Amino acid sequence: MVEIAGNGRTWLLSGPTSSYAVHLTENDELLHLHWGARITLPDAEALAMRPLPDYWPFESPLDGREEYPMEGGPRFVRPALSVRTDERRGTEWTFETYETGDDELRLRFRDAGLGITLHYRMRDDVVERWVTLRNDGPVVELLRADSATWTLPDRDQWRLSQLHGRWAAESRLTRSSLTYGEKVIGSRRGHTGHQHLPWVALDADATEERGEVYGCALGWSGSWRIAVAQLPDARVQITGGAGYDDSGLLRLAAGESFTTPVFAGLWSDGGFGGASRAWHAYQRAYVVPDAERDRPVLFNSWEATEFDISEEQQRALARRAAAIGVELFVVDDGWFGARTSDRAGLGDWTPNPDRFPAGLKPLADHVHALGMQFGIWVEPEMVNPDSDLYRAHPDWVQFQPGRKRTEFRNQLVLNLAREDVQEHLWEQLHALLSSAPVDYVKWDFNRCFTDAGWPGEPSPQRLWVDHVRAFYALLDRLRAAHPGVAFESCSGGGGRIDLGVMSRTDQVWTSDNTDPLDRLAIQHGFSQIHPARVMAAWVTDSPNTQLNGRTSTLRFRFVSAMAGVLGVGGDLTQWTDEELAEARDWVALYKEIRPLVQRGDLYRLRPPTGGLSAVQYVRGDESVVLAWLQAQSYGEPVPALRLRGLDPTATYECRETGEVYRGVVLLHHGLRTGLRGDLDATVFRLCRI
Ligand code: DGJ
C-alpha cells in the first residue's frame, strides 16, 4: 500500500507489519523518514516536520538522512550516485513528479539531460528498491550508481551480521559491533563470489526470536559492493549496488538508460529467526520460480566419478539411484568435447563421441525408463584454450591487448558482452536441450574475472555489467524455449548465490563442501537469508573424499542433507546392500517431510557451535525437527530441544516415539532427543492430533 500526503511531498509504503516513509523538502532534498514498525500517514507527516540538525559548517545536516545521496553539494558521505560529463561531475537534481501503482512508488528527478527515477515496491514487508537512469543529453559516465541507500533509526549500538567465506566454506555467519567509519563487503571478481553473500543484517539487541532486525540483500550476480557506514553522529546508512569500485560502470549516450539491480530491505521485530522466515516467504512468493513446487531428490555423479565417466558407468549409477528412490539423475562434468580432465573441452557442448557414441539421448531415455528425470552439467561462460571453440575464436574471451591471459583451472572467461558470443551460446545450448530429453541443467561458473578487457571496444568497462545481463538474458531465453527444464546455479559451489540469479534458477549448489558437519554451519548461515527450498545438499561418501577425510555415519550425512533439497552424490556402486537399503529408507522419509522442509517455516532451535544443534520446520498441523550432536563432552546430558512455532493448547504426537505431548510442554520443556556420543543425528516428526 502506498499513501501520499496532501502536499504531495511525503510518501508512505506499508506492508502487513512495517512501513517505510520518505519526504521531499522545499529544496528537493529527498529525506528518509521512517523504516520499521507500521505507522500512519499522520505519523509520517509529523516526522517530516522535525527540523534537520543544525550542523554547519563541518558536518552536513543531510548526511545520514538522505534517501539516495548524490555526489556534490553539502554532502560528505559515500555517494550512491556518482556521474560525470565532459563538463562537470556530480548531480544537482530537481524533482519532476511521482507515480504510484501496484504497491510501487516512482519518484522522478532530473539533472539537465539525466533523468533519475527512484523505485520502491512493497512485497509484504520487503521493500524492493532500484533506480533507473536515462540520459537524454550529452554522454554521461556512470562512475557509481547504487540501487539504494538504507537509513537506520538511532539506536545505542548497532551490530552487523554478515555471511563470509571462501571456496568450500561459504555462508558462515559472523556478528560484530559496528564502530565509526565504514565496513565494506563485496566482490570484484565478476560474479557474486564465495567470499560474501550480498546480504547484511543490523540489529541493536536482537536474539534469535526477539527484537528488531534490519536486513538488506542485493539481487546481482556480478561484482557488487555494500558499504555500511556509521557516521560521525552515529547514524547508520547502508548503500549498495552493482560494481565494486567507483571508477566507471557504464557510459550512457543520448537515449540510453541503466537500470540498477534490486536492493531489497526487510524490517522484522521477530529476531533473526523472524527476519529469516520473512525473507524465505518473500523469496518463495516473489523471487524463486515455481517455488510452490517441491524440488526432487537428485543424484549427482561428480564426487562418484569426477572426469572418468562412461555411458555404461552412468547407467549403473542410475539403476542404483533409482533403486533408493532418487527422482532426478544428473550427469556432472565430463560428458562433452574432449573433457577427460579440467585441461580441455570447455566450450564444446556436444557429447564426447568416445563416451556417448549415440549422444546423450540413450542415457536420458534409460534414466527416464527408470522413472527419474535427467539432468546435465554445463559451464557455458568458460572455455579451455584446448577446445575447438577457442581454436576457432581466440578473441572471444576477456583479455587485455598485449597481456597474458590468466588461466584459472586451465580456463578463460568468454566475453559474454559480445553479441556473437551470446548468439553462439544460445545456439549451442538450445541445440543441446533439443537433442535429448533434458529436465535439468546445473549451470556452473568456475573462475573469477581477471583480465576483463575487450580490445576494440570503445567502452570496455561495460563488460562487467553486460556479462551479467547477457547471462540473465541467456537463462531467460532458454527457460522460455524449454519451459520444462529446471536450472541450478553453481559456481564452484556457492559462488553465485544472490536474489538476481535466484529469480531465474530453481535451486543453488550451496557449497562444494559436502562434509556433513561443516555443512551444518554453512547451512546455518545460508538460512539467514535463503530458504531450504533452494539449498541443494548431497549425501556423499565417508570418509569424505573432497575435503577432509572425515568419517560419519549414513544417518548423520542424511539428516544433515535433509535440511535442504536432498541429493545423493556418493559412489553408489561402492555402497553395500545394507547402506543402499538404509539410504532408501532415508530418501523415503525425506519425501514425507519434504513439504515441511521446502515450504514450511524454519526455526533454528540451536546453532551449530559444537554440541547439540537443531532446526525445526512447521507447516500447518505438522512439524519436523532435525537434530545433530557434534560431540558430547564429559558424558553430560544432552539438553532437551525447546520447540517453537507450535500451538501451546494443541496436542502433538511424535511419529518416531508414539509419545503424545501438549504444545505448551514442547515449547517450555522441550523434546528429549536421545542423541549421544559424537556425530549423532535424529529426526522427529510431530503431528497435531
Ligand atoms: C564445481 C562444482 O561445484 C562441482 O559440483 C562440480 O560440478 C565441478 N565444478 C565440476 O567441474
Side-chain angles (χ1 to χ4, degrees), residues 167 300 302 307 332-333 339 342 377 379 409 442 444-446 490-494 509 511-512 538:
W167 174 78
N300 179 289
W302 175 245
F307 293 105
D332 206 277
D333 204 345
R339 186 77 168 168
D342 64 14
W377 177 97
E379 193 179 0
R409 211 191 188 209
K442 173 178 173 184
D444 210 340
F445 181 96
N446 277 305
C490 172
S491 171
W509 181 222
S511 176
D512 274 347
W538 308 340

PDB file of all heavy atoms in Angstrom, residues 167 300 302 307 332-333 339 342 377 379 409 442 444-446 490-494 509 511-512 538, ligand 1:
ATOM      1  N   TRP A 167      36.005 -20.606  -1.035  1.00  0.00           N
ATOM      2  CA  TRP A 167      35.567 -21.838  -1.678  1.00  0.00           C
ATOM      3  C   TRP A 167      35.463 -22.963  -0.624  1.00  0.00           C
ATOM      4  O   TRP A 167      36.332 -23.105   0.231  1.00  0.00           O
ATOM      5  CB  TRP A 167      36.568 -22.245  -2.786  1.00  0.00           C
ATOM      6  CG  TRP A 167      36.219 -23.575  -3.369  1.00  0.00           C
ATOM      7  CD1 TRP A 167      35.230 -23.827  -4.269  1.00  0.00           C
ATOM      8  CD2 TRP A 167      36.822 -24.823  -3.037  1.00  0.00           C
ATOM      9  NE1 TRP A 167      35.180 -25.172  -4.526  1.00  0.00           N
ATOM     10  CE2 TRP A 167      36.149 -25.814  -3.786  1.00  0.00           C
ATOM     11  CE3 TRP A 167      37.846 -25.213  -2.179  1.00  0.00           C
ATOM     12  CZ2 TRP A 167      36.475 -27.162  -3.722  1.00  0.00           C
ATOM     13  CZ3 TRP A 167      38.176 -26.554  -2.104  1.00  0.00           C
ATOM     14  CH2 TRP A 167      37.500 -27.512  -2.872  1.00  0.00           C
ATOM     15  N   ASN A 300      23.818 -36.780  -8.134  1.00  0.00           N
ATOM     16  CA  ASN A 300      24.808 -36.088  -8.966  1.00  0.00           C
ATOM     17  C   ASN A 300      26.077 -36.935  -9.005  1.00  0.00           C
ATOM     18  O   ASN A 300      26.551 -37.404  -7.976  1.00  0.00           O
ATOM     19  CB  ASN A 300      25.108 -34.697  -8.402  1.00  0.00           C
ATOM     20  CG  ASN A 300      26.154 -33.975  -9.242  1.00  0.00           C
ATOM     21  OD1 ASN A 300      27.326 -34.331  -9.235  1.00  0.00           O
ATOM     22  ND2 ASN A 300      25.737 -32.963  -9.981  1.00  0.00           N
ATOM     23  N   TRP A 302      29.247 -36.195  -9.739  1.00  0.00           N
ATOM     24  CA  TRP A 302      30.579 -35.579  -9.662  1.00  0.00           C
ATOM     25  C   TRP A 302      31.527 -36.273  -8.688  1.00  0.00           C
ATOM     26  O   TRP A 302      32.624 -36.704  -9.047  1.00  0.00           O
ATOM     27  CB  TRP A 302      30.445 -34.097  -9.336  1.00  0.00           C
ATOM     28  CG  TRP A 302      31.765 -33.419  -9.113  1.00  0.00           C
ATOM     29  CD1 TRP A 302      32.218 -32.867  -7.962  1.00  0.00           C
ATOM     30  CD2 TRP A 302      32.825 -33.254 -10.068  1.00  0.00           C
ATOM     31  NE1 TRP A 302      33.476 -32.354  -8.131  1.00  0.00           N
ATOM     32  CE2 TRP A 302      33.883 -32.578  -9.419  1.00  0.00           C
ATOM     33  CE3 TRP A 302      32.987 -33.606 -11.412  1.00  0.00           C
ATOM     34  CZ2 TRP A 302      35.070 -32.253 -10.072  1.00  0.00           C
ATOM     35  CZ3 TRP A 302      34.177 -33.277 -12.050  1.00  0.00           C
ATOM     36  CH2 TRP A 302      35.197 -32.618 -11.382  1.00  0.00           C
ATOM     37  N   PHE A 307      36.003 -36.842 -13.622  1.00  0.00           N
ATOM     38  CA  PHE A 307      36.033 -36.754 -15.093  1.00  0.00           C
ATOM     39  C   PHE A 307      36.021 -38.125 -15.780  1.00  0.00           C
ATOM     40  O   PHE A 307      35.948 -38.199 -17.000  1.00  0.00           O
ATOM     41  CB  PHE A 307      37.283 -35.991 -15.542  1.00  0.00           C
ATOM     42  CG  PHE A 307      37.257 -34.559 -15.162  1.00  0.00           C
ATOM     43  CD1 PHE A 307      38.031 -34.075 -14.123  1.00  0.00           C
ATOM     44  CD2 PHE A 307      36.426 -33.663 -15.833  1.00  0.00           C
ATOM     45  CE1 PHE A 307      38.007 -32.738 -13.768  1.00  0.00           C
ATOM     46  CE2 PHE A 307      36.381 -32.319 -15.477  1.00  0.00           C
ATOM     47  CZ  PHE A 307      37.175 -31.864 -14.441  1.00  0.00           C
ATOM     48  N   ASP A 332      27.283 -34.975 -14.209  1.00  0.00           N
ATOM     49  CA  ASP A 332      28.054 -33.745 -13.990  1.00  0.00           C
ATOM     50  C   ASP A 332      29.103 -33.588 -15.089  1.00  0.00           C
ATOM     51  O   ASP A 332      28.948 -34.087 -16.213  1.00  0.00           O
ATOM     52  CB  ASP A 332      28.651 -33.771 -12.568  1.00  0.00           C
ATOM     53  CG  ASP A 332      28.901 -32.376 -12.006  1.00  0.00           C
ATOM     54  OD1 ASP A 332      29.953 -31.794 -12.327  1.00  0.00           O
ATOM     55  OD2 ASP A 332      28.040 -31.864 -11.264  1.00  0.00           O
ATOM     56  N   ASP A 333      30.182 -32.904 -14.794  1.00  0.00           N
ATOM     57  CA  ASP A 333      31.247 -32.579 -15.739  1.00  0.00           C
ATOM     58  C   ASP A 333      31.753 -33.846 -16.454  1.00  0.00           C
ATOM     59  O   ASP A 333      31.687 -34.939 -15.904  1.00  0.00           O
ATOM     60  CB  ASP A 333      32.389 -31.959 -14.915  1.00  0.00           C
ATOM     61  CG  ASP A 333      33.287 -31.071 -15.731  1.00  0.00           C
ATOM     62  OD1 ASP A 333      33.225 -31.143 -16.955  1.00  0.00           O
ATOM     63  OD2 ASP A 333      34.057 -30.317 -15.118  1.00  0.00           O
ATOM     64  N   ARG A 339      36.650 -33.472 -22.875  1.00  0.00           N
ATOM     65  CA  ARG A 339      36.717 -33.165 -21.447  1.00  0.00           C
ATOM     66  C   ARG A 339      36.997 -34.430 -20.636  1.00  0.00           C
ATOM     67  O   ARG A 339      36.089 -34.999 -20.008  1.00  0.00           O
ATOM     68  CB  ARG A 339      35.391 -32.542 -21.041  1.00  0.00           C
ATOM     69  CG  ARG A 339      35.325 -32.025 -19.616  1.00  0.00           C
ATOM     70  CD  ARG A 339      36.018 -30.722 -19.435  1.00  0.00           C
ATOM     71  NE  ARG A 339      35.683 -30.148 -18.143  1.00  0.00           N
ATOM     72  CZ  ARG A 339      36.326 -29.121 -17.614  1.00  0.00           C
ATOM     73  NH1 ARG A 339      37.329 -28.551 -18.260  1.00  0.00           N
ATOM     74  NH2 ARG A 339      35.962 -28.651 -16.450  1.00  0.00           N
ATOM     75  N   ASP A 342      40.297 -31.382 -16.386  1.00  0.00           N
ATOM     76  CA  ASP A 342      39.914 -29.965 -16.461  1.00  0.00           C
ATOM     77  C   ASP A 342      40.799 -29.181 -17.429  1.00  0.00           C
ATOM     78  O   ASP A 342      40.709 -27.959 -17.500  1.00  0.00           O
ATOM     79  CB  ASP A 342      39.879 -29.325 -15.057  1.00  0.00           C
ATOM     80  CG  ASP A 342      41.248 -29.297 -14.385  1.00  0.00           C
ATOM     81  OD1 ASP A 342      42.269 -29.521 -15.071  1.00  0.00           O
ATOM     82  OD2 ASP A 342      41.297 -29.071 -13.165  1.00  0.00           O
ATOM     83  N   TRP A 377      25.280 -31.194 -16.634  1.00  0.00           N
ATOM     84  CA  TRP A 377      26.113 -30.078 -16.154  1.00  0.00           C
ATOM     85  C   TRP A 377      26.623 -29.289 -17.349  1.00  0.00           C
ATOM     86  O   TRP A 377      27.006 -29.871 -18.368  1.00  0.00           O
ATOM     87  CB  TRP A 377      27.283 -30.682 -15.388  1.00  0.00           C
ATOM     88  CG  TRP A 377      28.320 -29.726 -14.860  1.00  0.00           C
ATOM     89  CD1 TRP A 377      28.379 -29.223 -13.600  1.00  0.00           C
ATOM     90  CD2 TRP A 377      29.466 -29.220 -15.547  1.00  0.00           C
ATOM     91  NE1 TRP A 377      29.496 -28.417 -13.462  1.00  0.00           N
ATOM     92  CE2 TRP A 377      30.184 -28.400 -14.640  1.00  0.00           C
ATOM     93  CE3 TRP A 377      29.973 -29.365 -16.839  1.00  0.00           C
ATOM     94  CZ2 TRP A 377      31.363 -27.738 -14.979  1.00  0.00           C
ATOM     95  CZ3 TRP A 377      31.145 -28.691 -17.183  1.00  0.00           C
ATOM     96  CH2 TRP A 377      31.830 -27.891 -16.253  1.00  0.00           C
ATOM     97  N   GLU A 379      28.986 -25.410 -18.277  1.00  0.00           N
ATOM     98  CA  GLU A 379      29.675 -24.201 -17.777  1.00  0.00           C
ATOM     99  C   GLU A 379      29.858 -23.252 -18.958  1.00  0.00           C
ATOM    100  O   GLU A 379      30.971 -23.031 -19.448  1.00  0.00           O
ATOM    101  CB  GLU A 379      31.025 -24.584 -17.147  1.00  0.00           C
ATOM    102  CG  GLU A 379      31.612 -23.442 -16.360  1.00  0.00           C
ATOM    103  CD  GLU A 379      32.947 -23.789 -15.696  1.00  0.00           C
ATOM    104  OE1 GLU A 379      33.418 -24.929 -15.843  1.00  0.00           O
ATOM    105  OE2 GLU A 379      33.509 -22.890 -15.051  1.00  0.00           O
ATOM    106  N   ARG A 409      42.130 -22.877 -13.286  1.00  0.00           N
ATOM    107  CA  ARG A 409      41.593 -24.200 -13.636  1.00  0.00           C
ATOM    108  C   ARG A 409      41.708 -24.425 -15.147  1.00  0.00           C
ATOM    109  O   ARG A 409      40.794 -24.945 -15.784  1.00  0.00           O
ATOM    110  CB  ARG A 409      40.148 -24.332 -13.176  1.00  0.00           C
ATOM    111  CG  ARG A 409      39.761 -25.761 -12.804  1.00  0.00           C
ATOM    112  CD  ARG A 409      38.280 -25.915 -12.615  1.00  0.00           C
ATOM    113  NE  ARG A 409      37.969 -27.236 -12.077  1.00  0.00           N
ATOM    114  CZ  ARG A 409      36.847 -27.876 -12.287  1.00  0.00           C
ATOM    115  NH1 ARG A 409      35.892 -27.350 -13.028  1.00  0.00           N
ATOM    116  NH2 ARG A 409      36.627 -29.063 -11.767  1.00  0.00           N
ATOM    117  N   LYS A 442      22.549 -28.067 -14.545  1.00  0.00           N
ATOM    118  CA  LYS A 442      23.375 -27.463 -13.495  1.00  0.00           C
ATOM    119  C   LYS A 442      24.350 -26.533 -14.193  1.00  0.00           C
ATOM    120  O   LYS A 442      25.201 -26.992 -14.957  1.00  0.00           O
ATOM    121  CB  LYS A 442      24.118 -28.566 -12.729  1.00  0.00           C
ATOM    122  CG  LYS A 442      25.132 -28.042 -11.726  1.00  0.00           C
ATOM    123  CD  LYS A 442      25.783 -29.197 -10.993  1.00  0.00           C
ATOM    124  CE  LYS A 442      26.928 -28.733 -10.107  1.00  0.00           C
ATOM    125  NZ  LYS A 442      27.618 -29.862  -9.478  1.00  0.00           N
ATOM    126  N   ASP A 444      27.335 -24.082 -14.141  1.00  0.00           N
ATOM    127  CA  ASP A 444      28.486 -23.826 -13.277  1.00  0.00           C
ATOM    128  C   ASP A 444      29.272 -22.604 -13.766  1.00  0.00           C
ATOM    129  O   ASP A 444      29.107 -22.139 -14.916  1.00  0.00           O
ATOM    130  CB  ASP A 444      29.386 -25.075 -13.296  1.00  0.00           C
ATOM    131  CG  ASP A 444      30.156 -25.279 -12.006  1.00  0.00           C
ATOM    132  OD1 ASP A 444      30.321 -24.320 -11.249  1.00  0.00           O
ATOM    133  OD2 ASP A 444      30.619 -26.421 -11.772  1.00  0.00           O
ATOM    134  N   PHE A 445      30.160 -22.114 -12.931  1.00  0.00           N
ATOM    135  CA  PHE A 445      30.995 -20.942 -13.244  1.00  0.00           C
ATOM    136  C   PHE A 445      32.211 -21.054 -12.336  1.00  0.00           C
ATOM    137  O   PHE A 445      32.121 -20.779 -11.142  1.00  0.00           O
ATOM    138  CB  PHE A 445      30.187 -19.680 -12.940  1.00  0.00           C
ATOM    139  CG  PHE A 445      30.881 -18.378 -13.220  1.00  0.00           C
ATOM    140  CD1 PHE A 445      30.676 -17.707 -14.419  1.00  0.00           C
ATOM    141  CD2 PHE A 445      31.711 -17.799 -12.278  1.00  0.00           C
ATOM    142  CE1 PHE A 445      31.302 -16.483 -14.666  1.00  0.00           C
ATOM    143  CE2 PHE A 445      32.343 -16.592 -12.524  1.00  0.00           C
ATOM    144  CZ  PHE A 445      32.131 -15.934 -13.718  1.00  0.00           C
ATOM    145  N   ASN A 446      33.342 -21.509 -12.903  1.00  0.00           N
ATOM    146  CA  ASN A 446      34.431 -21.969 -12.040  1.00  0.00           C
ATOM    147  C   ASN A 446      35.675 -21.098 -11.994  1.00  0.00           C
ATOM    148  O   ASN A 446      36.749 -21.608 -11.685  1.00  0.00           O
ATOM    149  CB  ASN A 446      34.825 -23.391 -12.439  1.00  0.00           C
ATOM    150  CG  ASN A 446      33.897 -24.391 -11.796  1.00  0.00           C
ATOM    151  OD1 ASN A 446      33.738 -24.402 -10.578  1.00  0.00           O
ATOM    152  ND2 ASN A 446      33.251 -25.211 -12.604  1.00  0.00           N
ATOM    153  N   CYS A 490      25.343 -22.736  -9.934  1.00  0.00           N
ATOM    154  CA  CYS A 490      26.503 -23.270  -9.235  1.00  0.00           C
ATOM    155  C   CYS A 490      27.686 -22.408  -9.644  1.00  0.00           C
ATOM    156  O   CYS A 490      27.766 -21.943 -10.781  1.00  0.00           O
ATOM    157  CB  CYS A 490      26.724 -24.719  -9.676  1.00  0.00           C
ATOM    158  SG  CYS A 490      28.253 -25.437  -9.062  1.00  0.00           S
ATOM    159  N   SER A 491      28.593 -22.180  -8.735  1.00  0.00           N
ATOM    160  CA  SER A 491      29.837 -21.523  -9.117  1.00  0.00           C
ATOM    161  C   SER A 491      30.894 -22.090  -8.186  1.00  0.00           C
ATOM    162  O   SER A 491      31.123 -21.557  -7.099  1.00  0.00           O
ATOM    163  CB  SER A 491      29.699 -20.002  -8.958  1.00  0.00           C
ATOM    164  OG  SER A 491      30.950 -19.383  -9.133  1.00  0.00           O
ATOM    165  N   GLY A 492      31.452 -23.230  -8.584  1.00  0.00           N
ATOM    166  CA  GLY A 492      32.385 -23.918  -7.695  1.00  0.00           C
ATOM    167  C   GLY A 492      31.751 -24.051  -6.322  1.00  0.00           C
ATOM    168  O   GLY A 492      32.371 -23.725  -5.321  1.00  0.00           O
ATOM    169  N   GLY A 493      30.506 -24.517  -6.266  1.00  0.00           N
ATOM    170  CA  GLY A 493      29.717 -24.490  -5.031  1.00  0.00           C
ATOM    171  C   GLY A 493      28.926 -23.203  -4.989  1.00  0.00           C
ATOM    172  O   GLY A 493      28.259 -22.838  -5.961  1.00  0.00           O
ATOM    173  N   GLY A 494      29.078 -22.451  -3.882  1.00  0.00           N
ATOM    174  CA  GLY A 494      28.201 -21.306  -3.652  1.00  0.00           C
ATOM    175  C   GLY A 494      28.748 -19.966  -4.089  1.00  0.00           C
ATOM    176  O   GLY A 494      28.556 -18.973  -3.398  1.00  0.00           O
ATOM    177  N   TRP A 509      23.591 -24.614  -5.864  1.00  0.00           N
ATOM    178  CA  TRP A 509      24.516 -25.556  -5.243  1.00  0.00           C
ATOM    179  C   TRP A 509      25.221 -24.796  -4.125  1.00  0.00           C
ATOM    180  O   TRP A 509      25.964 -23.849  -4.364  1.00  0.00           O
ATOM    181  CB  TRP A 509      25.478 -26.133  -6.270  1.00  0.00           C
ATOM    182  CG  TRP A 509      26.464 -27.127  -5.724  1.00  0.00           C
ATOM    183  CD1 TRP A 509      27.780 -27.217  -6.040  1.00  0.00           C
ATOM    184  CD2 TRP A 509      26.214 -28.182  -4.778  1.00  0.00           C
ATOM    185  NE1 TRP A 509      28.357 -28.259  -5.355  1.00  0.00           N
ATOM    186  CE2 TRP A 509      27.424 -28.869  -4.564  1.00  0.00           C
ATOM    187  CE3 TRP A 509      25.075 -28.615  -4.080  1.00  0.00           C
ATOM    188  CZ2 TRP A 509      27.541 -29.949  -3.695  1.00  0.00           C
ATOM    189  CZ3 TRP A 509      25.191 -29.682  -3.199  1.00  0.00           C
ATOM    190  CH2 TRP A 509      26.417 -30.336  -3.021  1.00  0.00           C
ATOM    191  N   SER A 511      27.492 -25.455  -1.705  1.00  0.00           N
ATOM    192  CA  SER A 511      28.935 -25.485  -1.460  1.00  0.00           C
ATOM    193  C   SER A 511      29.510 -26.775  -2.001  1.00  0.00           C
ATOM    194  O   SER A 511      28.843 -27.813  -1.966  1.00  0.00           O
ATOM    195  CB  SER A 511      29.201 -25.415   0.047  1.00  0.00           C
ATOM    196  OG  SER A 511      30.589 -25.544   0.297  1.00  0.00           O
ATOM    197  N   ASP A 512      30.772 -26.734  -2.444  1.00  0.00           N
ATOM    198  CA  ASP A 512      31.454 -27.977  -2.806  1.00  0.00           C
ATOM    199  C   ASP A 512      31.837 -28.761  -1.564  1.00  0.00           C
ATOM    200  O   ASP A 512      32.315 -29.896  -1.673  1.00  0.00           O
ATOM    201  CB  ASP A 512      32.709 -27.680  -3.631  1.00  0.00           C
ATOM    202  CG  ASP A 512      32.394 -27.554  -5.112  1.00  0.00           C
ATOM    203  OD1 ASP A 512      31.281 -27.937  -5.516  1.00  0.00           O
ATOM    204  OD2 ASP A 512      33.256 -27.075  -5.868  1.00  0.00           O
ATOM    205  N   TRP A 538      23.994 -32.637  -0.695  1.00  0.00           N
ATOM    206  CA  TRP A 538      24.156 -34.043  -1.079  1.00  0.00           C
ATOM    207  C   TRP A 538      24.730 -34.871   0.061  1.00  0.00           C
ATOM    208  O   TRP A 538      25.586 -34.409   0.808  1.00  0.00           O
ATOM    209  CB  TRP A 538      25.157 -34.227  -2.222  1.00  0.00           C
ATOM    210  CG  TRP A 538      24.973 -33.429  -3.452  1.00  0.00           C
ATOM    211  CD1 TRP A 538      23.847 -32.808  -3.889  1.00  0.00           C
ATOM    212  CD2 TRP A 538      25.989 -33.170  -4.425  1.00  0.00           C
ATOM    213  NE1 TRP A 538      24.096 -32.180  -5.075  1.00  0.00           N
ATOM    214  CE2 TRP A 538      25.395 -32.379  -5.424  1.00  0.00           C
ATOM    215  CE3 TRP A 538      27.323 -33.536  -4.545  1.00  0.00           C
ATOM    216  CZ2 TRP A 538      26.113 -31.954  -6.543  1.00  0.00           C
ATOM    217  CZ3 TRP A 538      28.034 -33.105  -5.651  1.00  0.00           C
ATOM    218  CH2 TRP A 538      27.431 -32.326  -6.638  1.00  0.00           C
TER     219      TRP A 538
HETATM  220  C1  DGJ B   1      32.350 -27.270  -9.441  1.00  0.00           C
HETATM  221  C2  DGJ B   1      31.043 -27.728  -8.871  1.00  0.00           C
HETATM  222  O1  DGJ B   1      30.732 -27.044  -7.708  1.00  0.00           O
HETATM  223  C3  DGJ B   1      31.094 -29.229  -8.664  1.00  0.00           C
HETATM  224  O2  DGJ B   1      29.913 -29.669  -8.054  1.00  0.00           O
HETATM  225  C4  DGJ B   1      31.309 -29.878  -9.991  1.00  0.00           C
HETATM  226  O3  DGJ B   1      30.213 -29.628 -10.810  1.00  0.00           O
HETATM  227  C5  DGJ B   1      32.586 -29.370 -10.625  1.00  0.00           C
HETATM  228  N1  DGJ B   1      32.597 -27.939 -10.703  1.00  0.00           N
HETATM  229  C6  DGJ B   1      32.766 -29.939 -12.000  1.00  0.00           C
HETATM  230  O4  DGJ B   1      33.816 -29.403 -12.670  1.00  0.00           O
END
